[in-house]
Amino acid sequence: MTDRELITQAMHASIHAYAPYSKFRVGAALECQDGTVFTGCNVENAALGASICAERCAVLKAISEGKRKFLRIAVYSQSADYCVPCGTCRQVLCEFAPEIELLCARSDGRYVSYRLRDLLPHSFTKDFL
Ligand code: THU
Protein backbone atom coordinates (compact mmCIF):
# COMPACT_ATOMS: atom_id res chain seq x y z
CA MET A 1 0.00 0.00 0.00
CA THR A 2 1.30 3.44 -0.90
CA ASP A 3 1.47 6.34 1.53
CA ARG A 4 -1.17 8.06 -0.55
CA GLU A 5 -3.59 5.13 -0.28
CA LEU A 6 -3.22 5.01 3.50
CA ILE A 7 -3.80 8.76 3.74
CA THR A 8 -6.92 8.41 1.58
CA GLN A 9 -8.27 5.86 4.06
CA ALA A 10 -7.58 8.29 6.92
CA MET A 11 -9.35 11.04 4.99
CA HIS A 12 -12.42 8.84 4.48
CA ALA A 13 -12.42 7.92 8.18
CA SER A 14 -12.53 11.61 9.15
CA ILE A 15 -16.03 11.78 7.59
CA HIS A 16 -17.30 9.76 10.56
CA ALA A 17 -15.67 11.99 13.18
CA TYR A 18 -17.95 13.09 16.00
CA ALA A 19 -16.55 16.51 16.84
CA PRO A 20 -19.43 18.83 17.74
CA TYR A 21 -17.33 20.73 20.30
CA SER A 22 -14.03 21.38 18.56
CA LYS A 23 -15.37 21.02 14.99
CA PHE A 24 -11.91 19.56 14.30
CA ARG A 25 -12.55 16.31 12.46
CA VAL A 26 -9.71 13.81 12.35
CA GLY A 27 -9.28 10.45 10.64
CA ALA A 28 -6.57 7.85 11.09
CA ALA A 29 -5.59 4.70 9.20
CA LEU A 30 -3.34 2.19 10.95
CA GLU A 31 -1.47 -0.36 8.86
CA CYS A 32 -0.67 -3.67 10.51
CA GLN A 33 2.31 -5.84 9.66
CA ASP A 34 0.03 -8.31 7.86
CA GLY A 35 -1.39 -5.56 5.66
CA THR A 36 -4.68 -5.12 7.48
CA VAL A 37 -5.77 -1.50 7.93
CA PHE A 38 -7.86 -0.23 10.84
CA THR A 39 -9.36 3.23 10.59
CA GLY A 40 -10.47 5.54 13.37
CA CYS A 41 -11.96 8.96 13.93
CA ASN A 42 -12.12 11.29 16.89
CA VAL A 43 -15.16 10.80 19.11
CA GLU A 44 -15.79 13.73 21.43
CA ASN A 45 -17.94 13.85 24.55
CA ALA A 46 -19.79 16.52 26.51
CA ALA A 47 -17.44 15.58 29.34
CA LEU A 48 -14.45 16.67 27.28
CA GLY A 49 -11.96 14.40 29.05
CA ALA A 50 -13.91 11.40 27.81
CA SER A 51 -13.13 12.29 24.19
CA ILE A 52 -10.86 10.03 22.19
CA CYS A 53 -8.56 10.89 19.30
CA ALA A 54 -8.70 9.24 15.88
CA GLU A 55 -5.32 7.55 16.37
CA ARG A 56 -6.26 5.84 19.61
CA CYS A 57 -9.61 4.84 18.13
CA ALA A 58 -7.74 3.01 15.34
CA VAL A 59 -5.23 1.42 17.74
CA LEU A 60 -7.97 0.17 20.08
CA LYS A 61 -9.90 -1.31 17.16
CA ALA A 62 -6.77 -3.15 16.01
CA ILE A 63 -5.83 -4.44 19.46
CA SER A 64 -9.37 -5.62 20.10
CA GLU A 65 -9.22 -7.59 16.84
CA GLY A 66 -6.01 -9.32 17.86
CA LYS A 67 -3.46 -7.22 15.92
CA ARG A 68 -0.40 -5.87 17.72
CA LYS A 69 2.23 -5.23 15.06
CA PHE A 70 1.95 -1.90 13.30
CA LEU A 71 4.03 -0.36 10.53
CA ARG A 72 2.48 3.01 9.67
CA ILE A 73 -0.32 5.28 10.72
CA ALA A 74 -1.77 8.05 8.57
CA VAL A 75 -3.51 11.00 10.24
CA TYR A 76 -5.67 13.44 8.32
CA SER A 77 -7.57 16.57 9.18
CA GLN A 78 -9.05 19.14 6.88
CA SER A 79 -6.80 21.85 8.27
CA ALA A 80 -4.19 24.17 6.84
CA ASP A 81 -1.44 22.54 8.89
CA TYR A 82 -0.30 18.94 9.21
CA CYS A 83 -2.20 16.99 11.85
CA VAL A 84 0.27 15.40 14.27
CA PRO A 85 -0.69 13.01 17.10
CA CYS A 86 -1.10 14.40 20.62
CA GLY A 87 1.18 13.27 23.45
CA THR A 88 -1.26 10.67 24.75
CA CYS A 89 -1.60 9.07 21.31
CA ARG A 90 2.18 9.03 20.88
CA GLN A 91 2.48 7.19 24.18
CA VAL A 92 -0.23 4.67 23.22
CA LEU A 93 1.43 4.05 19.84
CA CYS A 94 4.77 3.63 21.60
CA GLU A 95 3.38 0.78 23.71
CA PHE A 96 2.97 -1.40 20.64
CA ALA A 97 5.05 0.12 17.87
CA PRO A 98 7.95 2.32 19.01
CA GLU A 99 9.33 2.23 15.46
CA ILE A 100 6.07 3.14 13.72
CA GLU A 101 6.10 5.67 10.90
CA LEU A 102 3.60 8.54 10.98
CA LEU A 103 2.14 10.15 7.88
CA CYS A 104 0.65 13.49 8.87
CA ALA A 105 -1.56 15.01 6.20
CA ARG A 106 -3.30 18.31 5.70
CA SER A 107 -6.27 19.48 3.67
CA ASP A 108 -4.39 20.16 0.43
CA GLY A 109 -3.24 16.54 0.40
CA ARG A 110 0.39 17.23 1.25
CA TYR A 111 1.90 15.22 4.07
CA VAL A 112 5.01 14.89 6.18
CA SER A 113 6.46 11.66 7.51
CA TYR A 114 7.94 11.18 10.98
CA ARG A 115 9.30 8.34 13.06
CA LEU A 116 7.62 7.99 16.43
CA ARG A 117 11.13 7.63 17.90
CA ASP A 118 11.79 11.24 16.90
CA LEU A 119 8.44 12.58 18.16
CA LEU A 120 8.66 10.78 21.50
CA PRO A 121 12.31 10.52 22.53
CA HIS A 122 13.34 9.03 25.90
CA SER A 123 9.91 7.42 26.17
CA PHE A 124 8.60 5.56 29.18
CA THR A 125 8.10 1.89 28.28
CA LYS A 126 7.38 -1.45 29.91
CA ASP A 127 11.16 -1.95 30.20
CA PHE A 128 11.09 0.37 33.22
CA LEU A 129 8.65 -1.82 35.12
N1 THU B 1 -7.44 15.08 17.66
C1 THU B 1 -7.25 13.85 17.08
O1 THU B 1 -8.18 13.05 16.97
N2 THU B 1 -6.01 13.55 16.65
C2 THU B 1 -4.95 14.40 16.62
O2 THU B 1 -3.88 14.05 16.14
C3 THU B 1 -5.11 15.76 17.16
C4 THU B 1 -6.39 16.03 17.87
C5 THU B 1 -8.80 15.44 18.08
C6 THU B 1 -9.07 15.49 19.55
C7 THU B 1 -10.25 16.43 19.60
O3 THU B 1 -11.43 15.70 19.33
C8 THU B 1 -10.01 17.38 18.44
O4 THU B 1 -9.11 16.73 17.58
C9 THU B 1 -9.46 18.73 18.86
O5 THU B 1 -8.38 18.59 19.70
Side-chain angles (χ1 to χ4, degrees):
M1 169 163 312
T2 65
D3 285 358
R4 183 61 59 195
E5 286 167 339
L6 199 62
I7 289 166
T8 298
Q9 293 208 37
M11 190 177 71
H12 287 154
S14 73
I15 292 165
H16 301 298
Y18 177 72
Y21 306 106
S22 73
K23 317 275 191 229
F24 192 77
R25 305 161 73 83
V26 185
L30 178 68
E31 179 190 45
C32 304
Q33 200 171 54
D34 68 0
T36 315
V37 174
F38 289 88
T39 59
C41 62
N42 54 331
V43 182
E44 297 183 346
N45 192 278
L48 291 178
S51 301
I52 187 161
C53 293
E55 297 91 322
R56 268 175 291 150
C57 176
V59 170
L60 298 187
K61 282 172 70 178
I63 297 296
S64 67
E65 296 289 332
K67 310 289 183 187
R68 292 193 179 175
K69 292 187 173 166
F70 310 129
L71 299 179
R72 284 181 299 176
I73 185 167
V75 188
Y76 171 88
S77 184
Q78 197 174 18
S79 58
D81 213 344
Y82 301 107
C83 190
V84 291
C86 76
T88 303
C89 287
R90 293 178 199 195
Q91 183 67 31
V92 169
L93 286 165
C94 183
E95 180 73 16
F96 301 101
E99 304 296 336
I100 198 169
E101 182 184 6
L102 301 111
L103 309 175
C104 303
R106 64 185 193 189
S107 58
D108 67 1
R110 294 177 69 93
Y111 70 99
V112 287
S113 153
Y114 297 107
R115 291 260 158 214
L116 182 60
R117 275 258 173 272
D118 298 323
L119 295 189
L120 193 68
H122 311 292
S123 52
F124 184 78
T125 68
K126 50 184 172 288
D127 299 337
F128 286 85
L129 302 175

